[in-house]
Amino acid sequence: MIKFWNKRVQEGIVTESKELESELTVIKKEIQERVTKKFAGSLAIRMVDSGSCNACEAECNALSNPYYDLERLGIYFVASPRHADVMLLSGLLTFNMTPHAKDAYAQIPAPKWIITLGDCPVMQAPFEKNYAINAPVGEHFHVTHHIAGCPPNPLEIMQVFLEFIRKIS
Amino acid sequence: MRFIARYAKELEENFEVITLYDERIDKELLSKEKPITQTLSRKYPVAIWFERKMHDDFGIVFHDAFDTRPLVHQERFPQGLHPLLRAFNQVHLDASKYLPYKYEAIDGDGVFQVAVGPIHAGIIEPGHFQFSQAGEAILHLEVRHFYKNRGIEKMLEGKTLQEAKPIIERISGNETLAYQICYRDIYLQASQQELPLAIAKRNALLLELERIIHHLTDLGFIPNDAGFGAALTFASRLAEDARRKLQELTGHRFGFGAIDFKNHSIDTLSFKAWLHALQKDVLYFQEWITDIPSLWDRFDTTGILSFDEAIKYNVLGVVARASGISQDRRLNKFYIEHGFKMASETSGDVAARFKVRLQEIINSIEMMHNFLQEDTTSLSLESVKDGEYMSFVESSIGELFMTIDIKEGVIERFYVRDPSFINWQALHLMMQGNIIADFPLINKSCDLSYAGNDL
């Protein structure tokens, strides 16, 4: 392990887009009171894949790598909808996933929001509507915000999260 | 004889059931009034999902099958509908009455059932796992999927190959280059053209890059599931570097649209420098992680798939090579000339699958050096001829099989068998003698696709 710590110290911090942190500081100042009231200072997200190709999930996982380190902004992916403020919904809302996505949403305590992730849930991806697909998601849920892209890259996702925090306050 | 796939198509008067082995293809015609045939599942256990799927898709009945439950269609799917029939043209389904699915379960004093999913605790695709437990010990696991079924096969019918391409690219995001290369090979068969070597080399380079990204991600997540987070931090950074390289080469972080019958300029110097740096980091990682005994306590002898079971279940890819089977679609002249060496382990446990991934990354780096070249060859595509075409590619998971029938210039039947469709069926065999807390570790060591499986 000593070799690991040596390497770790040599390489230092690789996290990028530091400007997001200062942006967040500004937002925090602007909205501190309301954020504290609504989110107790942090934003908890429950990711639900309703029938994607897994690229959107891979990009959400990438948000935790050292370059992006999403949690420094106080935004967390949580294991249960009961811990969440927001449902982040990717995929085409398949016929088979529709009841489960609705269940997950019902489990989130109010106040709650839905952000759609990627082109699939809004039917902007190349897939066509058929018997197995219930998208666009807007016909089944009240969607607050959308992150476009196929898939949106991690930085775009982070920027929209901040935009979202600003908007709902 | 290795079983590869079994699927059906609807002809004018009949159904045709096609069974593909590594040595031959069997075709059988069934009447539409009474579509009944004999099951293969007694000899090839993994045939059962193919047959259950054919029943859902076409209504074909398999005599003597040990399992006749629906596969793709779930509790609320309307009864008696078979969406792959020509006559089926609904674009919307209303959920019908909830009919419970009868899970495989072991009963007994103190034995209880644990249901996991479809929505999991992490950022993972949806799928269901049903465990029969005696305390910590797993007695049985049933894998139940198809939550992501998007009706891709039906969606592609009636489209030209060009129209189908953006959809085929997006069947499974982690394997998009493998899917695109399968598509490429089918296109070239249909247009009766040869692929220039220079383009084959670029495409192979991209496929190895995709494999590296997938394996690096796993090298982080597998130790992470054993509570060793530092490996995830380290490996996820390397995976991100590789993904950015893929974007540099193709303009897309996953390579959607990258297999385009053209070569684009590559900054070979900076790419080579990156490959060297990556190799150094991976060797460092290997030395570091091999030296952590508490981690190998969790990996060794966990989730064993024996050689005999691996053969019986016709498993593919990383899982097969970790159980002592020498099977890889890259075992051909082109790849061997560019430095391909088959990874191999024999213990069949989590450790073996982890080590196979490490070996493959190191070998892929070596091959990418050999595939790399400055070149701007391009191929103008001819029009396609009607026919039945098949292709195979070794994706980062295993052997991918795709078949497309073209009639009057458009797709009449599209079918793809992701390696996951077979490997998922062998997952329960790895559970014997393990505790439920090791399930995420075992599952991640196989890292199968849900999207490619569900279609």
Side-chain angles (χ1 to χ4, degrees):
Chain A
M1 272 314 265
I2 190 73
K3 270 168 75 185
F4 173 76
W5 288 109
N6 280 337
K7 192 173 168 74
R8 170 72 189 78
V9 170
Q10 273 166 23
E11 298 208 351
I13 293 169
V14 297
T15 307
E16 296 170 344
S17 43
K18 294 272 166 31
E19 72 283 357
L20 289 182
E21 283 168 52
S22 38
E23 197 184 328
L24 190 76
T25 320
V26 175
I27 298 177
K28 267 185 185 160
K29 260 191 203 140
E30 284 171 26
I31 60 174
Q32 198 161 34
E33 200 182 302
R34 281 167 288 185
V35 166
T36 315
K37 216 163 137 191
K38 278 183 172 158
F39 303 126
S42 68
L43 181 66
I45 296 172
R46 177 59 249 193
M47 164 100 210
V48 175
D49 167 1
S50 73
S52 72
C53 72
N54 202 26
C56 283
E57 287 65 45
E59 293 297 51
C60 282
N61 275 321
L63 285 169
S64 307
N65 76 35
Y67 290 123
Y68 303 107
D69 189 20
L70 178 70
E71 295 199 0
R72 75 193 140 118
L73 304 176
I75 303 172
Y76 301 86
F77 285 101
V78 292
S80 165
R82 295 188 185 181
H83 306 154
D85 305 304
V86 167
M87 179 158 95
L88 182 65
L89 193 66
S90 69
L92 288 161
L93 194 64
T94 61
F95 179 86
N96 286 347
M97 268 310 281
T98 303
H100 306 289
K102 286 186 174 163
D103 273 357
Y105 184 66
Q107 298 287 322
I108 300 178
K112 55 186 169 182
W113 295 267
I114 293 182
I115 303 178
T116 45
L117 176 65
D119 289 345
C120 282
V122 291
M123 285 308 277
Q124 293 298 311
F127 299 103
E128 278 169 18
K129 170 86 183 90
N130 68 12
Y131 67 94
I133 293 171
N134 280 337
V137 169
E139 291 175 7
H140 303 265
F141 292 97
H142 175 69
V143 178
T144 320
H145 225 81
H146 174 62
I147 309 176
C150 188
N153 69 41
L155 191 60
E156 287 166 349
I157 298 174
M158 284 165 96
Q159 279 161 341
V160 176
F161 283 162
L162 291 188
E163 211 180 284
F164 164 78
I165 294 177
R166 195 175 254 141
K167 182 177 160 186
I168 53 155
S169 317
Chain B
M1 197 160 60
R2 183 167 68 89
F3 172 88
I4 292 178
R6 196 165 200 223
Y7 57 100
K9 54 179 100 160
E10 185 182 353
L11 309 177
E12 290 292 314
E13 310 286 327
N14 304 84
F15 291 118
E16 188 176 36
V17 174
I18 297 146
T19 311
L20 185 65
Y21 303 93
D22 57 350
E23 291 168 15
R24 66 160 204 259
I25 302 175
D26 289 347
K27 293 185 175 180
E28 187 185 358
L29 290 178
L30 307 179
S31 81
K32 281 195 180 170
E33 290 70 40
K34 256 182 109 183
I36 300 177
T37 183
Q38 196 65 26
T39 182
L40 281 180
S41 58
R42 302 278 167 185
K43 188 166 182 205
Y44 298 102
V46 292
I48 196 72
W49 275 24
F50 292 89
E51 294 175 354
R52 286 166 69 189
K53 182 175 183 315
M54 275 187 266
H55 183 265
D56 286 356
D57 289 345
F58 295 98
I60 298 171
V61 175
F62 292 87
H63 182 67
D64 202 28
F66 61 76
D67 188 350
T68 53
R69 294 170 300 168
L71 184 77
V72 182
H73 298 172
Q74 299 193 340
E75 288 91 343
R76 297 169 183 86
F77 200 91
Q79 294 294 301
L81 282 188
H82 303 292
L84 259 65
L85 292 178
R86 292 261 154 70
F88 179 90
N89 55 10
Q90 282 172 251
V91 290
H92 177 77
L93 293 181
D94 287 318
S96 72
K97 191 170 159 277
Y98 183 95
L99 282 179
Y101 177 83
K102 198 172 178 320
Y103 285 97
E104 293 166 5
I106 294 176
D107 289 327
D109 256 4
V111 176
F112 59 96
Q113 313 301 321
V114 178
V116 179
I119 300 176
H120 301 283
I123 304 171
I124 322 171
E125 301 180 82
H128 185 94
F129 303 102
Q130 181 95 4
F131 299 90
S132 294
Q133 291 288 131
E136 292 283 324
I138 304 172
L139 297 183
H140 182 62
L141 159 69
E142 179 178 359
V143 176
R144 187 184 178 214
H145 284 327
F146 304 93
Y147 291 89
K148 303 189 84 167
N149 178 255
R150 293 153 288 173
I152 301 260
E153 290 159 88
K154 186 84 176 180
M155 198 187 291
L156 292 178
E157 287 175 7
K159 292 199 179 340
T160 63
L161 284 179
Q162 282 88 346
E163 289 166 347
K165 179 150 191 286
I167 296 176
I168 293 172
E169 277 166 22
R170 287 165 176 80
I171 291 176
S172 173
N174 281 330
E175 300 168 275
T176 177
L177 287 159
Y179 275 77
Q180 288 179 62
I181 291 173
C182 259
Y183 167 90
R184 175 200 77 185
D185 290 348
I186 284 176
Y187 199 108
L188 292 173
Q189 287 171 40
S191 65
Q192 297 174 320
Q193 285 173 286
E194 286 283 327
L195 187 69
L197 180 67
I199 295 182
K201 283 171 81 169
R202 177 188 160 85
N203 291 175
L205 176 110
L206 296 176
L207 183 63
E208 293 313 305
L209 190 51
E210 175 174 82
R211 190 182 323 277
I212 280 187
I213 296 170
H214 202 167
H215 283 357
L216 282 171
T217 309
D218 290 336
L219 289 189
F221 271 108
I222 297 167
N224 190 58
D225 276 342
F228 191 67
L232 177 60
T233 311
F234 191 92
S236 66
R237 184 185 162 201
L238 299 184
E240 176 72 18
D241 287 337
R243 197 170 287 300
R244 288 177 182 189
K245 276 289 160 199
L246 184 58
Q247 170 155 43
E248 198 183 306
L249 296 188
T250 68
H252 192 278
R253 280 169 59 87
F254 289 77
F256 290 174
I259 305 298
D260 55 0
F261 304 96
K262 282 191 206 87
N263 274 353
H264 305 261
S265 72
I266 294 184
D267 180 355
T268 49
L269 271 183
S270 82
F271 197 82
K272 274 209 154 97
W274 171 72
L275 281 179
H276 282 299
L278 176 66
Q279 185 171 27
K280 223 174 116 198
D281 278 335
V282 170
L283 292 175
Y284 168 83
F285 179 86
Q286 186 176 26
E287 199 190 327
W288 167 47
I289 206 106
T290 310
D291 211 21
I292 296 168
S294 57
L295 194 59
W296 295 91
D297 268 356
R298 293 287 304 277
F299 286 3
D300 288 329
T301 70
T302 303
I304 295 176
L305 181 70
S306 71
F307 176 78
D308 290 345
E309 284 170 332
I311 292 278
K312 187 176 174 193
Y313 277 72
N314 312 104
V315 296
L316 300 163
V318 172
V319 174
R321 295 192 284 278
S323 290
I325 299 179
S326 297
Q327 196 261 316
D328 193 313
R329 279 281 161 184
R330 292 173 295 170
L331 194 61
N332 59 40
K333 188 165 170 281
F334 170 73
Y335 272 100
I336 291 168
E337 279 175 2
H338 290 89
F340 171 68
K341 285 187 217 78
M342 182 149 6
S344 178
E345 288 288 331
T346 53
S347 54
D349 51 7
V350 171
R353 292 185 281 275
F354 188 80
K355 286 187 269 189
V356 164
R357 288 182 199 283
L358 259 172
Q359 289 173 26
E360 293 196 355
I361 291 175
I362 294 165
N363 185 225
S364 292
I365 293 173
E366 193 187 324
M367 280 196 283
M368 285 194 319
H369 274 293
N370 299 332
F371 288 136
L372 190 63
Q373 63 177 29
E374 271 296 350
D375 183 86
T376 50
T377 308
S378 74
L379 180 72
S380 53
L381 294 170
E382 309 281 328
S383 59
V384 296
K385 290 208 163 51
D386 288 1
E388 298 174 9
Y389 306 100
M390 289 179 180
S391 66
F392 298 92
V393 163
E394 190 74 18
S395 85
S396 50
I397 298 174
E399 175 199 78
L400 180 67
F401 160 65
M402 187 183 287
T403 174
I404 299 180
D405 288 4
I406 302 173
K407 196 177 169 189
E408 290 161 16
V410 296
I411 296 175
E412 193 186 33
R413 173 87 171 102
F414 170 89
Y415 176 72
V416 62
R417 195 274 284 126
D418 193 277
S420 311
F421 193 87
I422 287 194
N423 285 3
W424 277 123
Q425 296 189 65
L427 193 69
H428 72 280
L429 300 167
M430 304 176 196
M431 298 301 141
Q432 288 254 314
N434 288 276
I435 60 170
I436 194 164
D438 275 332
F439 170 73
L441 183 63
I442 300 168
N443 189 26
K444 198 71 205 175
S445 73
C446 302
D447 198 28
L448 305 174
S449 168
Y450 301 64
N453 177 75
D454 296 0
L455 285 181

